[in-house]
Amino acid sequence: MNTPLYPLTFRPLLKSVIWGGAEIRPFKGLEPNAEKIGESWEVSHVPGYFSIVENGALAGKSLDELIAEYGDRLVGKPVREKFGERFPLLIKFIDARDDLSIQVHPDDTLAKERHNSFGKTEMWYVIKAKGNAHLYSGFARQSSPEDYKKRIADDTFTDTLAKYEVKAGDVFFLPAGRVHAIGAGCFIAEIQQTSDITYRIYDYNRRDAAGNTRQLHTDEAADAIDYTVREDYRTHYEPEINTAVELVECPYFHTNLLDLDKTIARDHSGLDSFVIYICMEGTLELAMEGADPVELHQGQSVLLPATTKHIALTPAPKCKLLETYIPV
């Protein structure tokens, strides 16, 4: 007989990269060291990087094993019908000490055709921003495949992009096809489709210690880019205490912001989807009927199975969370 499902926390997968900073370990309550950590993968089903359960009777099991064992009870029947045996979301924290390369991700159709993969739609929530931290999202002026190739060649591509100075609480939705880049000083939470397909367009002509430039994918990116120009790429919302404020609604995920200073109840009985809570500030207790309460602190995430009906979230004394699930 299966072990009953309960709120699951996972061991973080810390990624040491040359552009990483020193924020992630202390943010998560881990002992600081000299390693440059650029990303912490909180919930992952990317092949080779399966999350491992940290708490309770299922500790040591991988997310892949859980999907095989629990199926619809873990992810939800409509979720499994749509995405098969692949857990559809990847949850990350990202700490950029340096500017990241300018990128684009293919949509489902192109990714399936070229890589037999899902595309990558994602969102960013800015947790912290240092000084004049900025990011790029979309085009500020009209471009085209021909203009794109010309500007890559003459090193003026960034002139066409919309650049935003950012602060804590800023949100950006990045559908597949939108050109984007995280700038130095940004510390963000990222929710994305489970896909590792990235087309690197421009890397500021940087070279490694051996004098080599990074591999670029300028040709592959040309027909993956959405060249539409929009007036504003920032997601606007009105903060509200002790209620779920919608940030993003798209076919791949629905994300709410919860800023709490008292206990609230959440009814997930109508979702038929897993739910993930990402704690970005403070501490809380999450209580689910039939399971031991789970204590979460800043920098932790928890996965609730699709069988979850009702929960209570109790901050101690305050907390800020992202809540995300698959709309069905």
Side-chain angles (χ1 to χ4, degrees), residues 42-56:
E42 299 296 297
V43 183
S44 168
H45 199 225
V46 173
Y49 299 98
F50 295 148
S51 289
I52 304 297
V53 178
E54 189 170 49
N55 67 322

Side-chain angles (χ1 to χ4, degrees), residues 86-103:
R86 176 68 61 222
F87 190 81
L89 295 183
L90 172 59
I91 309 298
K92 298 178 180 179
F93 293 119
I94 300 176
D95 176 22
R97 183 179 57 87
D98 295 324
D99 292 335
L100 274 62
S101 61
I102 296 171
Q103 309 173 351

